[in-house]
Amino acid sequence: MRSKIAALTAAALFAVILGAGACFAEEAPQWAKEIGARGRVKAAEAKTAELFKGDDGAYYKNGGELGQMMTNFVYGDVYNVGKLTDKQRALITLSVLTVNQTLDELKAQVKAAVNAGVSPEEIQEAIYQCAPYIGFSKALAAADKMNEALREKKAAPPKSMATVTEADRGEKGYLTQKSIFPGGLDGMYQSSPENRRHVAEYLASMCFGDFYTRGALDIKTREILTLCIISAQGGCEAQVKAHVQGNLNVGNDEDTMVAAITQCLPYMGFPRTLNALACVDEVVKR
């Protein structure tokens, strides 16, 4: 009996090996063949040398083979998708790392952003923009790492970019929100039960008043960052779709959104990237 089972097992294994061999014997399509001719490793080496000075990139070097695989993918592949500037890519990366709370990597990327010419205020605002969507505690943890990195780079501490006061934050927030979502808070406020209307008020005064009105980053930049922040969390497809429409409303086109979401891919993985791209596709077609 045992010899019969062993023989069957060997036969099954042989069949699997033959099947695998047949699979690899099939010729790959031309697009797959061309991937190896793109010279991505040299491109990645050039870009990382530009962005990471001295020990700024130690986080990735300490990662050994996996760190090298990541830098080749990020700076050899992803950086070639779309027409985003290095500054835009840096701000998107900082936002997604804040969402993920990968704070040691965030510190390395703050230094890379400084080397790319991003101002301390712009770095600060990319991190602050996350607060309404992930909560203050996580944004504060990221801001602490940001300040640590800026001190090590001997960069000037970021200045306050607030533009509203306690007296006008609600009004200015409402008007800012309405400029992005023309059909927004009025309907939400009026249709909400009395015991929930405070949420609409908070959206106006806190999310769009305290944050969207701040300086250093314009509305188009804040809205593309918000799309990336929400996409990186996963399970927020309804909000992703809303902010795809918001991006269209402020002038960020489909290609810009696709490039921005692609920039998030190394940090949030394929499932959330594919879900976000599906949301873009659905809203643009609608």
Side-chain angles (χ1 to χ4, degrees), residues 6-269:
L8 290 172
T9 303
L13 180 60
F14 185 65
V16 169
I17 292 171
L18 282 178
C23 177
F24 283 107
E26 183 180 343
E27 187 173 353
Q30 187 60 32
W31 65 264
K33 293 179 180 179
E34 292 172 356
I35 290 173
R38 292 178 183 167
R40 71 174 191 142
V41 174
K42 287 187 177 180
E45 288 174 350
K47 182 56 68 175
T48 53
E50 177 186 334
L51 294 178
F52 297 100
K53 311 293 185 182
D55 291 331
D56 292 348
Y59 176 87
Y60 300 103
K61 292 177 182 177
N62 293 339
E65 183 183 20
L66 185 60
Q68 188 62 58
M69 290 169 67
M70 181 176 186
T71 54
N72 286 344
F73 181 58
V74 173
Y75 301 105
D77 287 324
V78 172
Y79 257 59
N80 294 316
V81 175
K83 298 179 180 179
L84 299 177
T85 65
D86 282 1
K87 178 182 289 188
Q88 288 174 311
R89 294 183 188 280
L91 296 174
I92 290 167
T93 300
L94 292 172
S95 296
V96 177
L97 295 178
T98 298
V99 173
N100 292 346
Q101 290 291 281
T102 43
L103 299 181
D104 288 338
E105 185 174 11
L106 174 74
K107 183 177 176 180
Q109 287 292 339
V110 168
K111 294 179 179 181
V114 171
N115 294 335
V118 186
S119 73
E121 287 76 22
E122 290 167 326
I123 293 170
Q124 168 186 265
E125 293 307 311
I127 292 171
Y128 281 17
Q129 184 68 19
C130 299
Y133 307 103
I134 66 172
F136 279 98
S137 298
K138 292 178 179 178
L140 277 168
D144 184 63
K145 276 293 183 185
M146 171 197 74
N147 289 325
E148 187 178 320
L150 292 175
R151 286 194 296 270
E152 290 180 9
K153 290 294 289 181
K154 295 181 170 53
K159 301 173 184 176
S160 172
M161 291 289 106
T163 65
V164 298
T165 65
E166 284 297 311
D168 64 12
R169 57 192 285 269
E171 179 183 359
K172 288 185 176 179
Y174 169 82
L175 294 173
T176 299
Q177 193 270 355
K178 197 170 181 63
S179 73
I180 305 170
F181 301 102
L185 281 174
D186 278 334
M188 179 182 178
Y189 186 86
Q190 296 300 331
S191 63
S192 294
E194 183 65 32
N195 65 353
R196 300 180 194 175
R197 286 185 177 176
H198 61 281
V199 176
E201 293 177 2
Y202 293 163
L203 276 169
S205 60
M206 191 270 268
C207 182
F208 292 98
D210 293 339
F211 289 95
Y212 266 84
T213 61
R214 293 175 65 83
L217 303 180
D218 60 18
I219 291 293
K220 290 178 71 173
T221 302
R222 289 186 183 276
E223 190 56 20
I224 203 73
L225 290 181
T226 297
L227 176 65
C228 294
I229 291 163
I230 297 173
S231 297
Q233 293 182 72
C236 301
E237 280 68 34
Q239 289 77 17
V240 172
K241 291 175 189 176
H243 281 279
V244 170
Q245 186 61 59
N247 272 277
L248 293 173
N249 292 345
V250 300
N252 289 323
D253 62 15
E254 180 183 4
D255 287 345
T256 299
M257 287 186 276
V258 169
I261 291 168
T262 303
Q263 184 65 30
C264 302
L265 168 57
Y267 312 101
M268 69 181 186

